[in-house]
Amino acid sequence: MTRNLRNALAVLVTTGALSAVAAPLATAAEQAPAVAGVQAQIRNPKTVKADAYNQARSILANAGSQTAAKSHPIHGKNDVPVSYGTSLLASARDEFRAADKHLPAGQKKSDMSIPHYNAIHNAAKVMGIDRW
């Protein structure tokens, strides 16, 4: 009988210790961003600062995006919805891909010229946008 009681107590102590360790780990896992492959997926912010949007707009316009050149700069607001930035990036991306589709494969990255690719990613970095 003492052996059974000792084994039962050992199981209870082990279960309690494991649950005490597992609870903080589960909470930390919920707070950490999801990992896809090696690179972690970072969520886009909910808003973008107006100055950052205007700077990204200038980067894309200087790279040749007619869409960015025709868009109006943001003024009178501190920030704008992230959809403004993602829309700007997606439009410029599509525009650059269409313009660069006849370039040789060695001069392209993600179906656009390397300078256009760099401009898009610099604009995204300025706004803090990871996915568009």
Side-chain angles (χ1 to χ4, degrees):
M1 183 79 166
T2 52
R3 179 180 283 171
N4 289 338
L5 183 60
R6 187 176 31 172
N7 288 342
L9 286 173
V11 168
L12 287 174
V13 169
T14 304
T15 304
L18 288 176
S19 64
V21 170
L25 291 177
T27 305
E30 290 171 3
Q31 292 174 352
V35 176
V38 177
Q39 188 177 24
Q41 291 286 334
I42 300 172
R43 293 185 179 190
N44 287 337
K46 292 183 184 204
T47 60
V48 174
K49 295 292 181 192
D51 291 340
Y53 174 86
N54 291 335
Q55 183 180 357
R57 182 187 152 278
S58 294
I59 291 170
L60 295 172
N62 289 337
S65 171
Q66 295 301 312
T67 307
K70 291 178 184 176
S71 68
H72 296 286
I74 304 296
H75 52 85
K77 296 182 179 184
N78 290 334
D79 53 8
V80 295
V82 74
S83 62
Y84 285 31
T86 57
S87 177
L88 181 71
L89 292 168
S91 296
R93 177 198 61 210
D94 295 343
E95 186 179 351
F96 290 157
R97 284 181 176 168
D100 298 337
K101 74 177 172 182
H102 297 297
L103 285 176
Q107 295 178 6
K108 292 195 288 189
K109 191 171 185 178
S110 188
D111 294 331
M112 65 187 94
S113 71
I114 295 172
H116 285 160
Y117 177 88
N118 290 338
I120 292 256
H121 284 81
N122 287 340
K125 185 176 179 180
V126 164
M127 292 188 285
I129 294 175
D130 186 47
R131 301 177 65 177
W132 61 91

